[in-house]
């Protein structure tokens, strides 16, 4: 049975990517694995900023970091529950894989773990310059992943 | 290849970015330190240029090293200031007794006292109670709630560090967003709430010495270098009108680019009311802390010139302990002692640059060709401060620009107090980069604010803020005795 991994994170997810993954899994009777990577770098950076630049004490900085981490966990739980409901509604075979850390490494590990045939990613909208200097996990995965990669751009918020 | 071999192979991550980028990323820290050492040696080894004393040249070498370290943050900001303190006597710029005594500068003790008072506000829950008390009153509509999320952190940042305000209100705004069932990157209202929190705190933080300790640092450098002073109330008179103008402009800008996409916020107000109930009745402890805080601010305003701001601050700190409103453990939890090192070192370096004539020389060589009018000088310094603060700590921006600004003031016979405001106020208005300052980083970390939104909307607000600042400096400040 074919395996499709929908890789999303707190900063990289789009409804179009979710729809595509569900549609393809349904059409090809594939197993869908939702990989959610909780970003562990940003809470650490915020903590550093508060301590080093803001000269705020350790306790409020730790509390803030924990609040951010809790929020990321909650976002992950909600997103996963939403996708699970959609997948079960379509009668798809569906697995969840929750990881914490770096998106690139977690995704590669998931590809290996589940022997993925297709990986569906969302690219955050940012400048080419920032991609060059801080790297792009999506670009690296496109080069390194040992399977087909489908990339969706982050959508504008319509209001 | 089986699964285990595949996993082992995948655990080796090969960086495939362009080689120069990889090299820079991996050896960045040591390159910077080596570069700083090289610059230091180079400045010392060159013959002293005309108009610069040997002492001034050495002070410039120390300044260059600190500038590089503050900009790149390869070592903590406070440790860079320590480096300044030890290099000054080592190079014979000043006696070690004098260098170390500058740690005992009044500005440092004022900032320390202010941070301890803020710690009491946070530890007792009074700051959280105040935030909810005011925010609950903005629940009539989504527009009102948005304005409340801008105004409440702004007001609180008048009386406590803006970074602490943003950190304290972050969970409250999260609760609001959750109660309204707003989703990350799907609702612009959520984005606007977090941007309001960050930018409200930043704008309010310029209003007094308490919201941004960089303000007190700037005045401390002014006093140490020139003997002149800006009082607590004088600062407010000069800056609060700018805050009053900027806040509604920030509201309009945020609404323009993050349209309101919710109809009813009653659920958010229910949550705020619930959280307020959890606080219970106001305690005696909170009342006493509130009274001490009010009396302290009034004393700063009316008695500051007679008894010194630092003295009043420390009297209030002692009062907190006399009435057992804080414990020493609370200070360890809520106060970052690095602020003493950072600010003490910055003031010592500023004094060394002024005293040795290096600040004046630097002002002459950097601005002579471009500075034709005082307004142009103020404009250029304000732009420099605004740009630098997007990439580095605002305290470091002040530490770096103040000596040069005072040198410019002496060179062009401008009121040095105008220079203090020109450097310190724009240094607090970092709206653009997500990681520029703690409030921006806090808002961005929520997951509801896209970097692109903060950059594009923040840039617009920054430009508007600069224009407002220059207009006020040109037309309002002369009315209150700050002419240039």
């Amino acid at each position: 049975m074919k395996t499709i991994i929908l890789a999303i994170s707190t900063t990289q997810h789009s409804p179009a990517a979710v729809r595509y993954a569900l549609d393809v899994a349904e059409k090809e009777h594939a197993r869908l694995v939702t990989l959610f990577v909780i970003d562990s770098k940003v809470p650490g950076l915020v903590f550093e900023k508060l301590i080093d630049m803001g000269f705020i004490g350790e306790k409020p900085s730790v509390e803030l970091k924990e609040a951010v981490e809790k929020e990321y966990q909650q976002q992950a739980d909600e997103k996963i529950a939403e996708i699970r409901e959609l997948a079960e509604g379509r009668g798809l075979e569906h697995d969840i894989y929750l990881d914490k850390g770096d998106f690139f490494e977690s995704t590669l590990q998931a590809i290996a773990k589940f022997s993925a045939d297709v990986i569906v990613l969302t690219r955050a909208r940012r400048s080419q310059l920032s991609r060059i200097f801080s790297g792009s996990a999506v670009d690296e995965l496109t080069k390194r992943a040992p399977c087909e990669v489908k990339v969706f751009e982050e959508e504008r918020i319509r209001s | 290849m089986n699964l285990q071999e595949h996993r082992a192979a995948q655990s080796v991550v090969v960086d495939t970015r362009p080689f120069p980028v990889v090299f820079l990323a991996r050896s960045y820290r040591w390159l910077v330190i080596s570069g700083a050492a090289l610059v230091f040696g180079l400045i010392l080894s060159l013959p002293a240029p005309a108009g610069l004393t040997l002492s001034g040249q050495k002070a410039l070498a120390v300044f260059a090293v600190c500038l590089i370290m503050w900009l790149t943050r390869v070592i903590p900001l406070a440790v860079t200031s320590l480096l300044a303190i030890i290099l000054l006597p080592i190079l014979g710029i000043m006696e070690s007794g004098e260098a170390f005594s500058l740690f005992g500068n009044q500005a440092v003790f004022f900032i320390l006292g202010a941070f301890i008072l803020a710690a009491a506000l946070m530890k007792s829950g009074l700051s959280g109670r105040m935030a909810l008390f005011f925010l609950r009153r903005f629940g009539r509509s989504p527009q009102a709630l948005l304005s409340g999320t801008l105004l409440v952190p702004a007001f609180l940042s008048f009386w406590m560090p803006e970074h602490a305000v943003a950190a304290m209100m972050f969970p409250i705004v999260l609760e609001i967003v959750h109660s309204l069932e707003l989703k990350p990157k799907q609702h612009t209202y959520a984005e606007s709430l977090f941007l309001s929190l960050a930018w409200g705190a930043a704008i309010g933080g310029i209003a007094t010495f308490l919201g941004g300790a960089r303000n007190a640092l700037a005045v401390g450098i002014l006093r140490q270098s020139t003997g002149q002073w800006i009082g607590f109330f004088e600062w407010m008179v000069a800056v609060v009108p700018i805050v009053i103008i900027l806040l509604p402009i920030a509201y309009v800008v945020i609404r323009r680019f993050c349209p309101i996409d919710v109809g009813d916020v009653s659920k958010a107000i229910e949550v705020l009311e619930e959280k307020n109930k959890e606080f219970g009745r106001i305690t005696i402890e909170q009342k006493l802390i509130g009274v001490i805080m009010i009396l302290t601010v009034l004393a700063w305003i009316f008695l500051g010139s007679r008894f010194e701001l630092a003295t009043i601050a420390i009297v209030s700190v002692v009062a907190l302990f006399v009435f057992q409103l804080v414990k020493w453990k609370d200070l360890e939890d809520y106060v970052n002692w690095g602020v003493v090192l950072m600010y003490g070192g910055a003031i010592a370096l500023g004094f060394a640059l002024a005293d040795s004539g290096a600040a004046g020389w630097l002002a002459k060589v950097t601005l002579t060709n471009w500075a034709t009018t005082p307004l142009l000088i103020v404009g250029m310094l304000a732009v420099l401060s605004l740009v630098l603060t997007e990439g580095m700590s605002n305290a470091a921006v002040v530490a770096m620009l103040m000596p040069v600004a005072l040198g410019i003031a002496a060179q062009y016979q401008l009121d040095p107090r105008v220079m203090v405001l020109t450097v310190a106020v724009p240094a607090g208005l970092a709206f653009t980069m997500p990681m520029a300052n703690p409030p921006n980083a806090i808002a961005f970390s929520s997951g509801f604010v896209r970097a692109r939104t903060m950059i594009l909307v923040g840039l617009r607000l920054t430009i508007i803020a600069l224009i407002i600042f220059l207009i006020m400096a040109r037309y309002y400040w002369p009315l209150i005795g700050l002419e240039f």
Side-chain angles (χ1 to χ4, degrees):
Chain A
M1 180 191 272
K2 201 171 177 179
T3 298
I4 297 168
I5 292 183
L6 170 63
I8 51 180
S9 73
T10 39
T11 50
Q12 287 165 300
H13 56 85
S14 80
V18 172
R19 275 195 304 271
Y20 176 83
L22 289 166
D23 289 343
V24 170
E26 187 175 23
K27 186 180 166 190
E28 300 190 16
H29 305 290
R31 178 173 70 148
L32 177 64
V33 176
T34 300
L35 162 67
F36 196 109
V37 183
I38 297 177
D39 188 346
S40 59
K41 210 194 295 183
V42 169
L45 275 174
V46 172
F47 177 81
E48 268 178 42
K49 295 277 168 193
L50 275 176
I51 294 271
D52 193 35
M53 285 172 75
F55 296 107
I56 299 301
E58 189 164 345
K59 190 167 181 188
S61 304
V62 165
E63 285 170 358
L64 192 278
K65 186 182 173 204
E66 287 171 357
V68 173
E69 286 170 345
K70 187 179 165 194
E71 173 60 20
Y72 286 0
Q73 182 68 55
Q74 185 165 342
Q75 288 180 15
D77 292 341
E78 284 174 8
K79 200 72 195 166
I80 286 169
E82 183 190 318
I83 296 170
R84 181 193 284 124
E85 194 180 328
L86 288 169
E88 286 172 359
R90 295 195 193 199
L92 298 174
E93 188 177 330
H94 182 235
D95 286 315
I96 310 286
Y97 184 42
L98 187 64
D99 201 7
K100 206 175 192 179
D102 180 75
F103 184 75
F104 172 71
E105 288 175 18
S106 295
T107 306
L108 276 187
Q109 282 166 18
I111 291 173
K113 181 181 167 77
F114 293 100
S115 304
D117 299 288
V118 179
I119 177 107
V120 180
L121 304 170
T122 302
R123 189 201 306 271
R125 294 175 70 217
R126 53 190 181 112
S127 68
Q128 197 58 28
L129 198 63
S130 78
R131 287 208 174 92
I132 290 171
F133 280 101
S134 54
S136 166
V138 170
D139 289 345
E140 288 307 303
L141 284 165
T142 306
K143 290 179 200 161
R144 297 268 323 274
C147 62
E148 184 188 342
V149 179
K150 187 73 183 171
V151 179
F152 287 83
E153 293 288 329
E154 182 184 54
E155 292 170 9
R156 288 175 193 275
I157 297 177
R158 296 179 197 285
S159 54
Chain B
M1 189 188 283
N2 63 27
L3 188 61
Q4 262 182 325
E5 286 168 344
H6 189 71
R7 273 190 197 146
Q10 291 300 330
S11 70
V12 176
V13 179
V14 177
D15 198 329
T16 57
R17 289 178 293 173
F19 176 74
V21 174
V22 174
F23 178 73
L24 274 172
R26 297 202 178 222
S27 49
Y28 175 75
R29 191 164 179 273
W30 289 109
L31 280 175
V32 169
I33 292 172
S34 309
L38 200 67
V39 166
F40 179 72
L42 198 66
I43 294 175
L44 286 180
S45 62
L46 291 171
L52 185 64
T53 63
L54 182 60
S55 194
Q57 185 181 9
K58 290 175 184 176
L60 272 183
V62 176
F63 182 59
V65 167
C66 290
L67 201 155
I68 293 168
M69 296 300 194
W70 277 328
L71 189 62
T72 58
R73 289 175 56 225
V74 293
I75 57 176
L77 299 177
V79 176
T80 300
S81 291
L82 272 182
L83 186 62
I85 286 281
I86 56 164
L87 284 176
L88 294 175
I90 286 175
L91 293 176
I93 301 167
M94 63 172 68
E95 297 293 325
S96 56
E98 188 179 14
F100 284 104
S101 74
L102 285 164
F103 265 112
N105 184 279
Q106 290 191 46
V108 171
F109 276 92
F110 167 76
I111 290 161
L112 190 60
F115 270 59
I116 293 174
L117 287 165
L121 285 174
M122 286 190 283
K123 169 68 170 58
S124 65
L126 185 57
S127 54
R129 180 187 285 277
M130 283 166 58
L132 285 170
F133 174 81
F134 290 116
L135 203 50
R136 278 160 53 217
R137 280 147 178 79
F138 288 90
R140 292 184 310 278
S141 64
Q143 294 83 353
L145 185 59
L146 181 63
S147 65
T149 318
L150 182 71
L151 294 173
V152 172
F155 175 69
L156 290 175
S157 296
F158 276 40
W159 317 114
M160 53 189 287
E162 64 188 70
H163 313 315
V165 169
M168 186 251 314
M169 287 194 66
F170 176 80
I172 297 174
V173 178
L174 262 184
E175 292 260 15
I176 291 173
V177 162
H178 289 155
S179 70
L180 298 175
E181 295 176 15
L182 303 178
K183 301 292 176 210
K185 303 186 184 179
Q186 291 181 39
H187 293 96
T188 51
Y189 191 60
E191 247 183 343
S192 65
L193 286 173
F194 282 105
L195 288 176
S196 297
L197 167 64
W199 294 346
I203 293 170
I206 64 173
T208 72
F209 290 160
L210 305 176
R214 64 184 170 273
N215 302 334
L217 170 64
V219 174
I221 294 175
L222 168 74
R223 189 172 195 177
Q224 198 64 43
S225 305
T226 68
Q228 292 196 51
W229 179 245
I230 299 176
F232 190 95
F233 185 65
E234 283 77 14
W235 182 282
M236 287 181 74
V237 169
V239 181
V240 168
I242 298 176
V243 171
I244 290 170
I245 294 171
L246 267 181
L247 282 172
I249 288 176
Y251 175 78
V252 167
V253 169
I254 291 170
R255 275 203 60 185
R256 165 74 178 81
F257 291 96
C258 300
I260 291 177
D261 52 3
V262 300
D264 172 44
V265 292
S266 53
K267 281 188 185 162
I269 299 309
E270 283 170 22
V271 161
L272 293 176
E273 295 285 355
E274 203 50 52
K275 283 188 80 67
N276 191 52
K277 276 185 197 157
E278 287 170 17
F279 269 107
R281 292 175 65 87
I282 187 166
T283 63
I284 302 282
E285 177 195 64
Q286 289 172 343
K287 284 180 186 171
L288 279 174
I289 291 174
V291 166
I292 289 175
M293 193 69 204
I294 291 169
L295 289 176
T296 307
V297 171
L298 289 173
W300 279 329
I301 291 172
F302 295 108
L303 302 173
S305 54
R306 188 172 168 199
F307 292 109
E308 300 291 352
L309 300 185
T311 307
I312 294 167
I314 299 304
V315 164
S316 300
V317 166
V318 170
L320 288 175
F321 283 94
V322 164
F323 290 104
Q324 294 183 297
L325 299 171
V326 290
K327 300 188 185 61
W328 189 256
K329 176 79 172 55
D330 299 331
L331 301 195
E332 289 175 346
D333 287 340
Y334 285 91
V335 176
N336 186 333
W337 302 99
V339 71
V340 172
L341 305 182
M342 171 71 197
Y343 286 45
I347 289 171
L349 182 59
F351 174 70
L353 286 166
D355 196 48
S356 63
W361 180 86
L362 204 56
K364 201 188 299 186
V365 302
T366 52
L367 277 191
T368 304
N369 294 331
W370 300 298
T372 51
T373 66
L375 185 59
L376 198 56
I377 293 170
V378 166
M380 283 169 61
L381 263 178
V383 168
L384 195 55
S385 183
L386 262 177
V387 167
L388 286 173
T389 203
E390 295 288 355
M392 57 194 286
S393 150
N394 50 40
V397 170
V398 165
M400 199 176 77
L401 289 183
M402 270 307 302
V404 179
L406 293 180
I408 291 169
Q411 184 76 21
Y412 293 89
Q413 288 165 344
L414 300 173
D415 188 339
R417 297 173 304 161
V418 172
M419 296 290 107
V420 168
L421 290 159
T422 300
V423 168
V425 172
L429 300 176
F431 300 126
T432 307
M433 300 308 290
M435 290 292 171
N437 62 10
N440 282 5
I442 287 167
F444 181 67
S445 73
S446 66
F448 288 85
V449 177
R450 292 162 298 165
R452 195 177 166 87
T453 305
M454 183 174 276
I455 291 168
L456 293 178
V457 183
L459 188 58
R460 286 164 168 84
L461 187 57
T462 300
I463 292 168
I464 295 170
L466 174 65
I467 294 168
I468 300 291
F469 174 81
L470 290 174
I471 290 173
M472 294 298 278
R474 174 65 182 85
Y475 294 106
Y476 169 63
W477 285 356
L479 301 176
I480 55 170
L482 293 169
E483 306 220 14
F484 62 93

